[in-house]
Structures are given as C-alpha cells and as structure tokens.
C-alpha cells in the first residue's frame, strides 16, 4: 500500500489517485466492521449542545451506543431492548448514549428524541468522520466502545447478544461474540463518496484549511510548538492533526457552531474536516510542484496596526523559577499623553508569554489616588477600552465610529497574574495604543457588564463533583446591539452558555462554549451585532468539573472556594454591547 501511494505521488494522475483511494477506504471499511478494531478517541456534541469526549469516560468499563436516525424504524425497533439493557447495566460502569451518523439538524434530532422519550445523549456526527471511523453502516445497530483503548469491542443487535457482551465486560472478561449480524437502514456517506470520486488535493483542498486555521500559530516564532510551514511538516504531524480534529482539541477555543455566527469561531466546517481527514487517511500525499504552506509569509512586526501612537511600558517583573506568586499590582502613568485622545485600537504584547497568564486593568482619574479615582470601562461610558492580556487574545480594534476617551494625566492600574515555569525570567510587557485623529471624534461607545460571581454570593464547589453549575445575570438597560462575549473560569471550568431572556418572556441562546479551556479564553465576536430590546436579561450559566476525570484539576478532593489563584475558582461572563438610538432600534425591529 505504501508503494502504491508513492506511485500516486510521483504520477499525479487523478484517475490512479481515485482508484487507490477507493481501495484504501474499501480495506478500511472492511476492517472497521470487525470488533476490537481501534477507532480512536473522539468527541461530539449531543442534541442539547453538550460536549462529550470519550477519554473523559475512561473510568467506566465501556460506552454503549445505539445508531439513531430520526423517524427511523430500525432505531425505534431496537429502542425498547436497548433501554432495558440500560436499566440493567447503567449502574455497573456502562455509559449509554446514541449516535446520529447522518449529521441531522439538532432540532430534528432533539424533537425525535423527545417524542420517543429518549433521556440519554444523542451524539450528532455533523461531518460523519466519527461514524466512518467506528464502521457504522446501518441504523438500529448497537456498539460497545472501550474508552481506555478506543476500540470497538462489540457490534450487533441490542438483544441477548449485547446482553451477553455487557455481562462479559462487567465481569472483566473478553466478549464471546464480538460481531453479530444486524438488520437496519443503510447509512450513506455522500461527502466521502464524492471525495473518493474526485480525490482530495493537498494544494487545493488541505493546505488552504491549514493555512487559514492553523499556520498563524503553528509557524516559526508562533505560540504553537511546531511549524506547519511545508507539506513535509504537515505530513509528519498528520497523525497528531487527525487526533486533535477528532477530539475537537484544535483549533483551540472551539464553540458550538450551531449557536450564533461569530467572526472568530475557531471551528472547521464538516467539509473542511472531511477533506483533511480523508487526505490523512490516504497517506497525506502532495500533488503538484507548488507548496502553499511553504509560500506563506508572516509579518515580523510585533504591532498589529503599525507603530502605536502611544506605547505603555509595563514595569519589568522578575519572575522566579518556582513558587506561587501573588497577583502584582502596578500603576503606570501614561507619559506622552499630552491631551485627551479617543482610542481606536490597543494591543498587549507580553514580554514572556510563558509566565504571564492574564492581566486586568482600570484607569485612575487625573489628580486622584487609586482608592479614589479607579474607573472601570463599565462605570464610565465614555472611558476608553485598553485590552488586557488573556490566553489566545487578539489585538483589539474598535468598530467603525466607536471608541472611548483617554484623558491626559490618566494612569493605568494593572493587575498581573504570573505562573512559574521552572526557570527564572523577566517579563517586559508593552501595551500599544492607537488614537483617532484629533478632528475625528467617534460617536459610538463600546459598553459592557459582567455576569460575575464573587464572595459572599459564591457557592463553593463540592469535592469530586463532575458538573457543578453556577448562574449569574446582567440586565441591559437600553436597546442595544450585543457585540461580543468573554468567559473566565479556572482549571475546573467545563462549559459556559449565554442566554438572552427577553422582556416578552422568550429565551434565545446566544453562545455555547461547550468545551471551556482555561488555556484559551477568547473574546467571541459576533459576525453581526445582535439587537436586544431594553430590559433584556443575559443569563450566564457555567459548569465546573471538580472530578478526577478533569486532567487539569489540581485536587478533586478539595471543596473549591472563590479565589484569585488558579487552584481556586472564578466565574466571569462578560457581555459587550453598543447602545442603539431610537431611530436605529425602530429600523432593527
């Protein structure tokens, strides 16, 4: 097979490529129907937008799946026996789910599940890549999947054969009959079949996806650990690329793509996933003479918008090799600001991003002491916004005709959070600020508020709790256009959702961060501003995973209080908006 793929690479003819690709997938499909085949780790969202990563369930003996399709007779005929097995074995280390291999619309799947009284997760495979890896070819069939080895250990009907398999798994024995013939509705893979027919091109299909979604971090001098700067590098790292795509670990900061439309959603479309994964499955070959990844160029300039009008130098901070560091508070006079200016952009450039975790900032009025004159960007609607530093943050550019004022004589109060890495270092951070021309005064203001929980309203997270929820809310006082959201929790943060509760009683989900990751705390920017009427309440619900299954958890046995250090917890759900004037509000309606 390796020689055949090599011949394709040298020959480059699409017909030969398609033929051998078909052979590869024929062999793969034939093998995947055999139990004990390693399907690999994966993650999917269910009908409620909840994230399920198979490795998280590795403290169980197996995961049971029933292949589901909405309105499907084979699914319905298997449901009663599947539910009976669930009643018997769910308390014995078996997790029960369903999987929809068709990538059907979530509301359709949810409605079907509700009508049948299904009270378990139905994982929806939008790109059909997980279903293909599992070897799913019909509905109504049941699978047993080992979340430790990532292997299918049984496939067949949800009847006595599956009961025998479950009994063996619970007892710690090998499954006696791992493959049993099943009747059901055939599952089609139209996207895969089309790719088999047309072939997947590295230069036309795959390299553009990697360039757009990966290479800005995976480059020389980037924040990622290796550079995707050539076909050779992409081919060499292709097993890792497959793993992070299947588990939705990359691109980072992924949100639920079914909720809202965002400029920076950090997700791949089903079509993009299929092309990249099919390319990897067929040997990650290169076509043509050009290499689009090798041709990428990156600006060496550290400033995103040219030389700043004002550079704020944060006092150097010496960070020791080890130990726990208290938050550091510094006040920086804005030297060089000789008159009031309107801010249009800002950028925080960390001196050493390996130790600087995040910052917070506020302004001190001219002539005031910090205790008297501290102004946050929420308390003064005209106050400028200077971006803090958070993991994964981008430089901040205001919307057209939008900005805040930075008054001469102002000082910037910074709250700095550092973590040690095993080596001494000095952080010399800088903040760049860009102004509007003196004769151009923006008339729109970026406003915001935080659905936050502090002490004493904070509720401590119980020890070993895998899904502890807390909720906070804000009320938007005027007609407004919501622009962006920012979550913040610590190591135990699991998910966070933002729901709009409108004055008429209706509720709309605005953002679902289904897989919160402490390492990537993005400001999620709506593609188009979302109009909300005055009195809209934005309810933010976050969940914490204080269990042993959370690999980032410092101590699952600990009852977790609110606190500034990362081994304690926080809850911030920030919402940003612009006030809508009366005429605009009428036209929006």
């Amino acid at each position: 097979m390796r020689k055949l793929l090599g011949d394709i690479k040298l020959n480059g003819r699409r017909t030969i490529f398609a033929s051998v690709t078909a052979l590869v997938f024929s062999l793969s499909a034939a093998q995947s129907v055999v139990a004990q085949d390693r399907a690999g780790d994966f993650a999917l969202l269910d009908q409620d937008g909840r994230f399920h990563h198979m490795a998280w369930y590795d403290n169980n003996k197996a995961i049971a799946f029933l292949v589901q399709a909405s309105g499907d007779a084979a699914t319905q005929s298997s449901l009663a026996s599947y539910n009976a097995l669930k009643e018997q074995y769910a308390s014995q280390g078996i997790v029960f789910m369903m999987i929809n291999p068709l990538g059907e619309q979530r509301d359709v799947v949810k409605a079907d599940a509700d009508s049948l009284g299904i009270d378990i997760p139905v994982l929806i495979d939008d790109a059909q890549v997980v279903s293909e890896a599992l070897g799913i070819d019909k509905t109504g069939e049941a699978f047993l999947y080992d979340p430790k080895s990532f292997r299918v250990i049984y496939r067949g009907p949800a009847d006595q054969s599956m009961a025998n398999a479950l009994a063996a798994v619970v007892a710690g024995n090998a499954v006696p009959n791992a493959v049993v013939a099943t009747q059901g509705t055939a599952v089609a893979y139209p996207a895969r079949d089309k790719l088999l027919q047309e072939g997947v091109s590295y230069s036309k299909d795959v390299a553009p996806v990697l360039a757009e979604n990966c290479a800005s971090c995976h480059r020389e001098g980037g924040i990622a650990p290796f550079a995707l700067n050539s076909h050779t590098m992409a081919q060499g790292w292709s097993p890792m690329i497959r793993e992070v795509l299947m588990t939705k670990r990359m691109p980072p900061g992924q949100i639920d793509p079914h909720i809202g439309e965002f400029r920076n959603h950090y997700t791949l479309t089903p079509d993009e996933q299929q092309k990249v994964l099919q390319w990897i499955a067929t040997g990650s070959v290169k076509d043509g003479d050009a290499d689009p990844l090798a041709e990428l160029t990156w600006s060496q300039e550290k400033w995103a918008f040219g030389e700043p009008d004002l550079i704020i130098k944060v006092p150097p901070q010496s960070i020791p090799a080890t130990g726990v560091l208290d938050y550091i508070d510094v006040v920086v006079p804005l030297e060089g600001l000789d008159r009031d200016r309107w801010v249009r952009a800002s950028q925080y450039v960390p001196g050493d991003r390996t130790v600087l975790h995040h910052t917070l900032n506020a302004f001190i009025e001219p002539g005031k002491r910090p205790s008297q004159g501290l102004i946050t960007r929420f308390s003064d609607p005209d106050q400028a916004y200077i971006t803090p530093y958070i993991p994964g943050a981008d430089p901040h550019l205001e919307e057209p005709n939008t900005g805040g004022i930075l008054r001469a004589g102002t000082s910037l109060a910074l709250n700095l959070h550092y973590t040690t890495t095993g080596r001494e270092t000095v952080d010399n951070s800088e903040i760049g600020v860009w102004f509007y021309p003196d004769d151009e005064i923006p008339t729109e203001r970026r406003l915001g508020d935080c659905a936050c929980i502090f002490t004493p309203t904070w509720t401590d997270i119980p020890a070993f709790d895998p899904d502890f929820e807390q909720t906070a809310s804000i009320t938007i006082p005027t007609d407004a256009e919501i622009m962006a959201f920012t979550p913040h929790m610590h190591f135990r943060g699991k998910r966070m959702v933002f729901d709009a509760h409108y004055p008429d009683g209706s509720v709309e989900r605005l953002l679902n961060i289904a897989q919160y990751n402490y390492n990537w705390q993005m400001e999620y920017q709506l593609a188009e501003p979302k109009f909300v009427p005055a009195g809209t309440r934005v309810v933010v619900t976050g969940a914490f995973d204080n269990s042993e299954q959370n690999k980032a958890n410092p101590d699952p046995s600990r009852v977790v209080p609110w606190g500034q250090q990362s081994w304690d917890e926080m809850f911030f759900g920030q919402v940003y908006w612009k006030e809508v004037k009366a005429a605009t509000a009428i036209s929006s309606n």
Side-chain angles (χ1 to χ4, degrees):
M1 183 61 67
R2 188 178 300 275
K3 182 180 186 301
L4 284 173
L5 292 172
D7 290 341
I8 294 169
K9 183 176 179 182
L10 293 172
N11 187 291
R13 293 177 59 190
R14 180 174 295 275
T15 54
I16 296 178
F17 180 85
S19 299
V20 178
T21 301
L23 173 60
V24 170
F25 278 101
S26 297
L27 295 173
S28 174
Q31 293 169 351
S32 66
V33 299
V34 179
Q36 300 295 338
D37 187 46
R38 190 177 191 277
D41 192 11
F42 65 88
L44 290 171
L45 302 185
D46 68 18
Q47 74 271 34
D48 295 313
R50 296 288 182 92
F51 178 82
H52 298 272
H53 182 192
M54 296 305 102
W56 190 87
Y57 295 98
D58 66 3
N59 60 337
N60 292 276
K61 296 178 179 179
I63 301 173
F65 290 106
L66 180 66
V67 182
Q68 180 266 354
S70 300
D72 177 63
T75 303
Q76 295 175 17
S77 66
S78 300
L79 192 56
S81 57
Y82 188 74
N83 280 333
L85 293 171
K86 171 179 171 289
E87 292 298 318
Q88 183 177 356
Y89 287 100
S91 61
Q92 300 184 57
I94 307 297
V95 178
F96 284 80
M97 301 184 188
M98 293 185 181
I99 185 167
N100 181 290
L102 307 180
E104 294 182 290
Q105 291 296 315
R106 182 179 295 168
D107 56 350
V108 174
V109 175
K110 184 172 176 57
D112 184 72
D114 291 344
S115 69
L116 297 174
I118 296 171
D119 62 351
I120 59 176
V122 182
L123 308 191
I124 304 174
D125 188 7
D126 294 329
Q128 293 194 296
V129 293
V130 170
S131 303
E132 186 176 345
L134 291 172
I136 292 175
D137 57 8
K138 63 179 72 68
T139 62
E141 187 172 27
F143 286 75
L144 287 180
Y145 171 93
D146 183 351
K148 299 182 184 68
S149 66
F150 310 129
R151 295 179 183 276
V152 174
I153 55 177
Y154 167 84
R155 60 178 302 162
D159 59 8
Q160 187 59 47
S161 301
M162 186 178 186
N164 295 339
L166 286 166
V169 170
V170 168
N173 299 325
V175 175
N177 294 303
V179 180
V180 181
T182 311
Q183 298 298 315
T185 307
V187 172
Y189 291 88
R192 180 199 64 185
D193 295 342
K194 181 180 179 182
L195 292 176
L196 290 176
Q197 178 69 29
E198 299 178 356
V200 181
S201 164
Y202 162 76
S203 59
K204 296 179 181 178
D205 298 321
V206 176
V209 175
L210 300 179
E212 176 69 21
N213 298 278
C214 311
S216 61
C217 292
H218 288 274
R219 60 183 175 89
E220 296 294 338
I223 64 174
F226 58 87
L228 285 173
N229 55 9
S230 68
H231 165 264
T232 300
M233 290 296 289
Q235 184 181 52
W237 285 101
S238 59
M240 175 65 76
I241 294 171
R242 180 188 187 277
E243 188 271 333
V244 299
L245 289 182
M246 293 291 285
T247 59
K248 301 187 184 299
R249 189 152 58 90
M250 286 285 161
Q254 294 191 42
I255 59 176
D256 182 350
H258 296 271
I259 305 297
E261 294 185 11
F262 292 83
R263 296 177 186 173
N264 54 342
H265 51 82
Y266 303 104
T267 60
L268 299 188
T269 66
D271 179 67
E272 290 170 334
Q273 295 175 58
Q274 289 158 356
K275 287 178 177 177
V276 173
L277 292 171
Q278 299 260 21
W279 175 72
I280 292 171
T282 54
S284 310
V285 298
K286 179 178 179 292
D287 59 304
D289 297 327
D291 186 346
L293 290 183
E295 295 171 356
L296 292 175
T297 58
W298 304 98
S299 171
Q300 300 303 308
E301 301 295 329
K302 71 177 181 180
W303 300 113
F305 311 114
E307 188 67 18
D309 298 311
L310 175 67
I311 297 178
I312 304 169
K313 293 187 176 295
V314 180
Q317 303 298 321
S318 297
I319 308 302
T322 60
V324 177
L325 306 181
D326 292 332
Y327 281 42
I328 299 172
D329 293 312
V330 297
V331 175
V332 186
L334 302 187
E335 299 176 356
L337 185 64
D338 58 359
R339 61 193 187 279
D340 296 353
R341 299 294 302 270
W342 292 88
V343 174
R344 69 178 182 88
S346 57
Q347 178 183 357
Y348 198 112
V349 177
D352 188 342
R353 68 176 72 249
T354 66
V355 294
L356 181 62
H357 185 266
H358 75 270
T359 71
L360 300 173
N361 63 46
F363 296 103
I364 301 172
E365 288 183 323
K368 298 291 185 67
R369 297 193 304 273
S371 61
Q372 295 176 321
L374 199 65
I375 298 177
T376 70
R377 54 194 160 90
F378 302 136
S379 60
D380 180 357
D382 289 330
Q383 185 64 55
Y385 173 74
I386 302 295
T387 183
Y389 178 77
I390 55 177
D394 293 321
H396 177 75
L397 178 65
E398 296 281 5
E399 295 292 321
N401 194 33
T402 303
I405 196 168
L406 197 56
R407 302 187 187 281
T410 295
S411 294
L412 184 65
L414 289 163
N415 181 253
L416 310 173
H417 180 198
Y418 291 97
T419 57
T420 56
T421 63
R423 65 175 180 84
E424 294 183 3
T425 187
V426 176
D427 175 58
N428 289 286
S429 294
E430 295 179 307
I431 305 171
V433 183
W434 292 263
F435 299 124
Y436 282 95
D438 286 331
D439 60 354
E440 185 177 348
I441 298 176
T443 61
E444 301 288 342
R445 304 287 176 263
R446 173 185 166 101
L447 306 174
D449 203 350
C450 179
C452 302
I453 304 175
F454 300 97
T455 55
T457 57
W458 172 268
T459 302
D460 288 350
I461 302 170
F464 300 108
D465 194 320
D467 198 70
F468 182 75
E469 287 191 349
Q470 300 215 53
T471 299
S473 67
I474 60 169
T475 299
I476 299 178
T478 64
D479 288 349
E481 288 183 338
I482 294 179
M483 303 163 65
F485 311 86
T486 300
H488 178 71
M489 298 182 283
H490 288 169
F491 288 132
R492 297 169 179 84
K494 183 175 184 179
R495 65 175 183 275
M496 184 175 281
V497 297
F498 292 72
D499 294 323
H501 291 243
Y502 297 117
D504 65 4
S506 61
V507 178
E508 180 182 7
R509 180 144 296 174
L510 303 177
L511 170 64
N512 176 21
I513 306 166
Q515 182 196 11
Y516 175 85
N517 187 329
Y518 180 49
N519 296 308
W520 302 97
Q521 300 173 46
M522 317 294 195
E523 178 182 299
Y524 295 101
Q525 303 164 1
L526 285 164
E528 297 293 339
K530 173 70 175 179
F531 174 79
V532 296
T536 296
R537 192 165 60 99
V538 179
V539 177
V540 181
T541 303
F544 299 88
D545 180 1
N546 194 25
S547 74
E548 293 177 309
Q549 293 307 103
N550 178 0
K551 308 310 179 190
N553 193 347
D555 182 3
S557 67
R558 182 169 175 256
V559 175
V560 185
W562 185 94
Q564 290 188 328
Q565 295 294 346
S566 298
W567 54 78
D568 295 327
E569 274 301 338
M570 288 185 177
F571 184 108
F572 295 163
Q574 306 214 35
V575 184
Y576 305 99
W577 69 82
K578 288 198 300 186
E579 182 179 348
V580 173
K581 306 300 188 283
T584 307
I586 292 172
S587 64
S588 298
N589 289 324

